[in-house]
């Protein structure tokens, strides 16, 4: 089989898990001899890794799918692979009928269907074992796709696939299947192989990452996993997301406080600050529980930063209930708030049983009120860092400026001609805004003075 001149392109939407899945798939395709192209229209294999968490994400995927249809008409040999949450885990019959020009349908996190399809096309069947072996590689060790190799500083490692929670608004458990923790050995192997290829920072992923290991009797938990990863040579920073408030135990806080490589930043969504709305969402905690948790995290992990997610306009949310969310955000002063307008997702409990009765105009107003509150909060928090010297891990140069992150996950830009990629350097903060900061390097050689 010769795929040397064949190219693949992967379009990725949605969460970090999809980014991780796309990289994995790219790696599998390169094993088969395909080369990456950043141009969809040049590809022989075109993958769409999709998200359906909100209607807007679904529309984006369908829009892109529609836009590539002419490519298939021009080139019938083009292989189109639809992957991710638009496909889901419950069979593809309906989708196949609706989208006859799609060649392969893959559930989230599963490169299998595409690899099998391409292998068959190339009379590769006799070598299925070899394919399987190549594939087995993906279970632990990972080879970074060529165009990113040696450049990638920060990588994601999925540690829990799927989700077994039943938040009433959320489609993810339906599309990604039940919760499955990956074996610890696989995760360590993946971290080691990433570090060997120059990756400095790993971020562990799970819909509820703090449930890691809880689906396996006597398995290691997230705190244990962090301890093991802290010993992996070459890995300099470790992060994890997303945490559910109910599983964020003191053992995790203690592990973060104790382990030098685990960064003091957490993503712990509240979703709403009103108890009745939280109950309708089936989140499993009250706003008071959440306030208590945030206080405890801040006490145990000195100087940490915390991000939250909030949905506005959940069915039945009154003005007064929304004010509770507003007050909570104003009181807790989170470092980051990811905001979303409620979007009914077909088949979820809220879609079936609760009318989407908050008008879009009100959803938008609530969204903007929280956004401007958060802008003030984040500006104040970041302004405290002005003039401070703090370590930043630099990732890449964007429009002439090096982009990096503090241990607390804040974005920092530095203007320099030096190559900062992959380095953790102390920098002095010279400007702060709500969403990012600017800094200068210390010990930069002074501007030379020319003596006459
Ligand atoms: N598993 C994580 C992340 C889920 S998706 C968690 O439990 O928090 C990321 C965010 O999208 C969620 O935190 C939520 O704020 C938002 N989201 C999920 N479903 C949504 C829906 N139907 N409408 C609007 N926002 C939604």
């Amino acid at each position: 089989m010769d795929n040397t001149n064949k190219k693949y392109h992967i379009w990725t939407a949605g969460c970090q898990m999809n980014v991780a899945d796309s990289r994995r798939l790219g790696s599998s395709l390169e094993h088969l001899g395909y080369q990456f192209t950043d141009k969809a229209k040049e590809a022989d294999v075109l993958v769409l890794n999709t998200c359906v968490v909100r209607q807007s994400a679904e529309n984006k995927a369908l829009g892109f799918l529609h836009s590539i249809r002419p490519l298939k008409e021009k080139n019938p040999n083009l292989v189109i692979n639809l992957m991710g949450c638009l496909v889901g885990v419950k069979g593809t019959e309906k989708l196949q009928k609706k989208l006859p020009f799609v060649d392969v349908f893959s559930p989230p996190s599963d490169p299998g269907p595409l690899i099998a399809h391409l292998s068959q096309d190339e009379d590769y069947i006799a070598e299925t074992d070899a394919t399987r072996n190549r594939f087995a590689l993906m279970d632990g060790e990972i080879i970074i796709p060529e165009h990113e190799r040696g450049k990638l500083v920060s990588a994601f490692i999925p540690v829990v696939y799927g989700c077994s929670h039943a938040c009433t608004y959320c489609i993810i458990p339906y599309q990604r299947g039940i919760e499955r923790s990956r074996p610890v050995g696989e995760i360590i192997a993946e971290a080691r192989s990433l570090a060997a290829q120059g990756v400095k920072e790993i971020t562990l992923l799970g819909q509820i990452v703090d449930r890691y290991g809880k689906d396996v009797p006597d398995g290691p938990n997230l705190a244990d996993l962090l301890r093991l990863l802290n010993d992996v040579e070459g890995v300099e920073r470790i992060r994890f997301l997303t945490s559910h408030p109910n599983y964020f135990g003191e053992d995790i806080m203690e592990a973060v406080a104790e382990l030098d490589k685990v960064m003091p930043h957490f993503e712990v969504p509240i979703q709403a600050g009103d108890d009745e709305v939280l109950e309708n969402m089936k989140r499993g905690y009250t706003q008071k529980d959440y306030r208590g948790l945030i206080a405890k995290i801040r006490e145990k992990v000195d100087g940490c930063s915390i991000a939250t997610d909030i949905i506005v306009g959940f069915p039945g949310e009154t003005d007064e209930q929304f004010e509770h969310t507003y007050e909570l955000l104003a009181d807790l002063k989170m470092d980051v708030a990811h905001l979303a307008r409620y979007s009914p997702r077909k088949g979820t409990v809220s879609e079936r049983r609760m009318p989407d009765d908050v008008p879009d105009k009100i959803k938008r107003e609530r969204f903007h009120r929280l956004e401007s509150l958060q802008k003030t909060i984040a500006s104040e928090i970041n302004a405290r860092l002005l003039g401070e010297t703090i370590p930043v891990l630099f990732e890449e140069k964007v429009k002439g400026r090096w982009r990096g992150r503090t241990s607390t996950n804040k974005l920092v830009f530095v203007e320099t001609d030096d190559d900062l990629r992959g380095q953790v350097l102390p920098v002095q903060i010279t400007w702060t805004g709500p969403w990012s900061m600017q800094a200068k390097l210390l010990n930069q050689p002074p501007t030379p003075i020319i003596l006459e």
Side-chain angles (χ1 to χ4, degrees), residues 38-94:
D38 58 4
K39 295 184 188 68
K41 60 176 189 291
E42 281 181 3
D44 301 281
V45 175
L46 185 46
V47 183
L48 280 71
N49 197 359
T50 56
C51 170
V52 295
V53 74
R54 285 177 285 278
Q55 189 62 46
S56 52
E58 185 167 341
N59 293 348
K60 219 165 111 186
L62 292 170
F64 188 70
L65 193 57
H66 196 68
S67 78
I68 59 168
R69 203 176 172 155
L71 294 178
K72 179 79 179 180
E73 280 153 16
K74 244 197 285 176
N75 171 16
N77 292 328
L78 170 67
V79 175
I80 295 181
N81 175 209
L82 190 66
M83 183 179 179
C85 285
L86 191 61
V87 178
V89 291
K90 293 207 191 102
T92 57
E93 260 171 54
K94 268 195 202 153

Side-chain angles (χ1 to χ4, degrees), residues 375-417:
K375 192 172 173 187
T376 310
I377 295 170
S379 301
E380 281 170 15
I381 294 174
N382 291 347
R384 281 183 230 135
L385 294 169
L386 192 65
E388 297 283 308
T389 298
I390 41 181
V392 167
L393 169 61
F394 289 95
E395 289 178 43
E396 60 176 347
K397 206 167 187 177
V398 193
K399 293 184 190 151
R401 299 187 304 169
W402 279 95
R403 189 176 65 87
R405 287 189 185 268
T406 64
S407 62
T408 52
N409 210 40
K410 295 184 191 299
L411 257 183
V412 177
F413 291 96
V414 168
E415 223 172 299
T416 173
D417 292 333

Side-chain angles (χ1 to χ4, degrees), residues 240-259:
F240 56 90
L241 57 89
T242 303
S243 301
H244 185 290
N246 288 10
Y247 304 100
F248 205 116
E250 284 189 33
D251 59 333
I252 298 174
M253 302 175 207
E254 279 157 15
V256 178
E258 169 197 319
L259 300 168

Side-chain angles (χ1 to χ4, degrees), residues 81-358:
N81 175 209
L82 190 66
M83 183 179 179
C85 285
L86 191 61
V87 178
V89 291
K90 293 207 191 102
T92 57
E93 260 171 54
K94 268 195 202 153
L95 272 179
Q96 271 171 351
K97 271 196 201 124
K98 237 166 73 184
L99 304 167
F101 61 102
V102 172
D103 301 275
V104 188
F105 295 86
S106 313
S109 308
D110 188 2
L114 179 62
I115 301 305
H117 177 90
L118 294 173
S119 306
Q120 271 172 12
D121 269 6
E122 306 293 338
D123 281 338
Y124 204 50
I125 251 160
E127 287 179 64
T128 9
D129 280 346
T131 316
R132 255 190 230 121
N133 282 339
R134 286 194 172 103
F135 211 38
L137 257 185
M138 307 314 298
D139 288 342
E141 230 175 281
I142 180 161
I143 296 169
I144 299 171
E146 207 181 329
H147 64 285
E148 292 183 309
R149 212 172 298 153
K151 295 186 198 139
L152 191 67
V153 173
S154 182
F156 298 118
I157 303 183
V159 300
V160 191
Y161 292 119
C163 183
S164 295
H165 238 253
C167 301
T168 53
Y169 52 83
C170 191
I171 196 165
I172 295 174
Y174 300 88
Q175 303 308 92
R176 288 192 173 265
I178 57 163
E179 175 180 88
R180 290 101 66 204
S181 292
R182 284 178 79 192
V184 71
E186 259 182 49
I187 297 166
I188 304 288
E190 188 159 326
R192 284 206 183 108
S193 71
L194 287 168
Q197 294 167 88
V199 167
K200 305 288 182 208
E201 175 178 83
I202 55 174
T203 301
L204 312 181
L205 299 179
Q207 295 303 332
I208 303 187
V209 73
D210 42 354
R211 275 195 54 83
Y212 176 74
K214 293 194 194 293
D215 56 325
V216 186
D218 306 323
N221 61 22
L222 182 63
D224 301 327
L225 179 62
L226 292 172
R227 286 209 166 76
L228 291 166
L229 288 166
N230 200 64
D231 290 336
V232 173
E233 214 179 307
V235 169
E236 292 182 27
R237 287 183 165 191
I238 303 166
R239 302 180 186 279
F240 56 90
L241 57 89
T242 303
S243 301
H244 185 290
N246 288 10
Y247 304 100
F248 205 116
E250 284 189 33
D251 59 333
I252 298 174
M253 302 175 207
E254 279 157 15
V256 178
E258 169 197 319
L259 300 168
D260 59 327
K261 294 181 184 175
V262 181
M263 297 292 108
H265 173 75
F266 313 106
E267 307 260 342
V268 199
I270 172 102
Q271 309 297 6
D274 177 85
D275 287 344
E276 204 180 322
V277 177
L278 284 170
E279 171 61 33
N280 292 339
M281 289 176 162
K282 286 275 173 291
R283 286 291 290 177
Y285 52 82
T286 62
Q287 57 89 19
K288 198 162 160 237
D289 296 335
Y290 187 80
R291 287 173 191 261
L293 175 70
I294 298 304
K296 188 178 265 173
I297 297 175
R298 286 176 170 162
E299 177 199 317
K300 294 258 179 196
V301 188
D302 205 23
C304 69
S305 67
I306 310 178
T308 197
D309 294 9
I310 294 173
I311 299 174
V312 298
F314 186 79
E317 186 186 66
T318 62
D319 284 342
E320 198 191 337
Q321 288 173 330
F322 169 72
E323 289 311 321
H324 293 155
T325 301
Y326 188 93
E327 280 160 26
L328 179 130
L329 192 61
D331 290 348
L332 291 183
K333 299 195 190 309
M334 313 300 285
D335 294 81
V336 175
H338 305 289
L339 308 175
R341 283 175 284 132
Y342 172 70
S343 169
R345 306 285 56 218
K346 211 165 171 38
T348 58
V349 173
S350 66
E351 187 267 340
R352 286 184 283 125
R353 303 206 190 135
M354 307 172 199
D356 179 20
D357 55 2
V358 178

